[in-house]
C-alpha cells in the first residue's frame, strides 16, 4: 500500500544507544508502519557502528488527520521522548517519488510512498535511499565506498547556506536506510544537488561505476512541526 502522509522524527537521547542491543522504540500507535534508527558514524571498518545518541526516522499513515494527531502532542504518542534531551517532529506530505526502495523488515512488508495529486506547497524536505539487489552485489568494498561518499555529501551539504539540516537514519531491522534533508527552497535544492558541486560530481561517478543497484528520491512538504533540531525548528528556519 502507498502512503501520502508521514511524520518525521529526530531525537537526541541522553546517552548513546546501540541499535543491536536496544532495537527501535515503539512508534505511534496510529501509524501503519514505523522505520526508526540511529544516525551513527562510520567505524574503523568503514561500516556504520549502529551506536549514536541521535536517532530518527519516519512513520506512515492512511490520513493526514492521523499524522496530525501525533504532531499535535508527540509526547503522548512516543513514550521514549522522556529519555531524550531534544526532539523534533514534522508532518510531511509526499509530493513526488521516483525509484525503488525496500523498507521491509522480517515481520512487516514494505511501506511504499504515493504522491498526492496536488502539491500543497510549503517547506521542502527530501528523502533519498539506495540499496543492493543481492548479497553478492553488496560487496564490502563497494558498500564502504558508497558509505564514505554519503558522509562526504552530508558534510558538504552542511557548508551550504541553502541546506538547513541533513541526516542519515538506518532504521532498525529494515533493509535500507534513508537520508533526510530540509532546504530553503526547491530551486536551492536543485542547484545544490544537480547543477555543479560534490553531489552532481558523485552522480556522474555513479553513472560510470554504479555504487548501488537501486535508489529512490522523494520530495516532501513540511506542513507542521514541533520541537527543535540542533536548537532550531528546521521548518521555521527554512521558511524565514
Amino acid at each position: 500500500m502507498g502512503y501520502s502522509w508521514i511524520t518525521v522524527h529526530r531525537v537526541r537521547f541522553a546517552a548513546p544507544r546501540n541499535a543491536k542491543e536496544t532495537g527501535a522504540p515503539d512508534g505511534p500507535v496510529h501509524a501503519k508502519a514505523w522505520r526508526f534508527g540511529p544516525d551513527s558514524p562510520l567505524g574503523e571498518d568503514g561500516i556504520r557502528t549502529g551506536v549514536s545518541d541521535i536517532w530518527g526516522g519516519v512513520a506512515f499513515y492512511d490520513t493526514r488527520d492521523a499524522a496530525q494527531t501525533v504532531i499535535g502532542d508527540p509526547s503522548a504518542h512516543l513514550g521514549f521522548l522522556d529519555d531524550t534531551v531534544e526532539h523534533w517532529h514534522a508532518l510531511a506530505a509526499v509530493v513526488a517519488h521516483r525509484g525503488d526502495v525496500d523498507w521491509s523488515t522480517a515481520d512487516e512488508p514494505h511501506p511504499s510512498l504515493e504522491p498526492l495529486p496536488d502539491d500543497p506547497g510549503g517547506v521542502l524536505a527530501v528523502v533519498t535511499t539506495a540499496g543492493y539487489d543481492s548479497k553478492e552485489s553488496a560487496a564490502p568494498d563497494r558498500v564502504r565506498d558508497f558509505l564514505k561518499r554519503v558522509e562526504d555529501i552530508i558534510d558538504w551539504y552542511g557548508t551550504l547556506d541553502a541546506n538547513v539540516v541533513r541526516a542519515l537514519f538506518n532504521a532498525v531491522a529494515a533493509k535500507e536506510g534513508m537520508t533526510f534533508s530540509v532546504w530553503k527552497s526547491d530551486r536551492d535544492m536543485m542547484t545544490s544537488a544537480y547543477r555543479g558541486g560534490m553531489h552532481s560530481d558523485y552522480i556522474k561517478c555513479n553513472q560510470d561505476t554504479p555504487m548501488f543497484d537501486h535508489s529512490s528520491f522523494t520530495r516532501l512538504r513540511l506542513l507542521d512541526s514541533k520541537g527543535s533540531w540542533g536548537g532550531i525548528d528546521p521548518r521555521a528556519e527554512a521558511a524565514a
Side-chain angles (χ1 to χ4, degrees):
M1 178 178 179
Y3 298 97
S4 303
W5 298 100
I6 66 175
T7 54
V8 183
H9 308 269
R10 188 265 195 185
V11 307
R12 181 186 291 274
F13 287 106
R17 293 190 175 196
N18 187 322
K20 291 182 179 179
E21 296 176 356
T22 67
D26 291 338
V29 295
H30 293 299
K32 298 300 181 181
W34 170 243
R35 299 292 182 264
F36 194 74
D39 182 356
S40 63
L42 298 179
E44 294 182 358
D45 60 357
I47 303 299
R48 295 194 179 278
T49 64
V51 180
S52 180
D53 58 337
I54 298 174
W55 286 48
V58 298
F60 303 79
Y61 305 83
D62 285 335
T63 66
R64 175 174 180 166
D65 286 347
Q68 184 70 62
T69 297
V70 175
I71 299 303
D73 190 359
S75 295
H77 298 271
L78 299 167
F80 60 87
L81 294 184
D82 290 342
D83 298 325
T84 68
V85 295
E86 184 181 47
H87 50 90
W88 178 77
H89 317 270
L91 169 68
V94 180
V95 296
H97 175 74
R98 67 172 184 266
D100 298 309
V101 55
D102 187 352
W103 280 323
S104 61
T105 68
D107 302 318
E108 193 174 44
H110 160 59
S112 61
L113 298 172
E114 182 174 332
L116 293 171
D118 298 305
D119 185 342
V123 169
L124 173 69
V126 173
V127 168
T128 68
T129 69
Y132 301 92
D133 295 337
S134 67
K135 290 183 179 179
E136 291 73 22
S137 68
D141 288 346
R142 189 186 189 203
V143 172
R144 290 189 184 97
D145 176 62
F146 175 60
L147 292 178
K148 176 59 170 63
R149 291 174 188 262
V150 171
E151 286 294 292
D152 292 344
I153 293 298
I154 289 175
D155 289 344
W156 179 64
Y157 278 171
T159 70
L160 304 180
D161 181 66
N163 180 255
V164 180
V165 292
R166 78 264 5 133
L168 184 145
F169 304 124
N170 281 320
V172 175
K175 291 185 177 181
E176 296 171 14
M178 68 190 75
T179 69
F180 175 80
S181 56
V182 176
W183 299 86
K184 291 186 176 179
S185 73
D186 293 31
R187 178 177 293 180
D188 283 337
M189 184 278 293
M190 291 295 294
T191 299
S192 301
Y194 301 108
R195 297 169 186 165
M198 184 182 292
H199 188 268
S200 179
D201 290 344
Y202 279 1
I203 289 176
K204 294 175 183 176
C205 289
N206 185 66
Q207 291 171 345
D208 295 333
T209 305
M211 305 173 201
F212 42 81
D213 296 334
H214 59 262
S215 61
S216 73
F217 176 88
T218 304
R219 291 192 190 192
L220 308 171
R221 295 298 183 191
L222 303 184
L223 304 181
D224 195 5
S225 59
K226 184 164 291 188
S228 67
W229 176 331
I232 65 168
D233 177 350
R235 175 174 165 268
E237 186 78 7

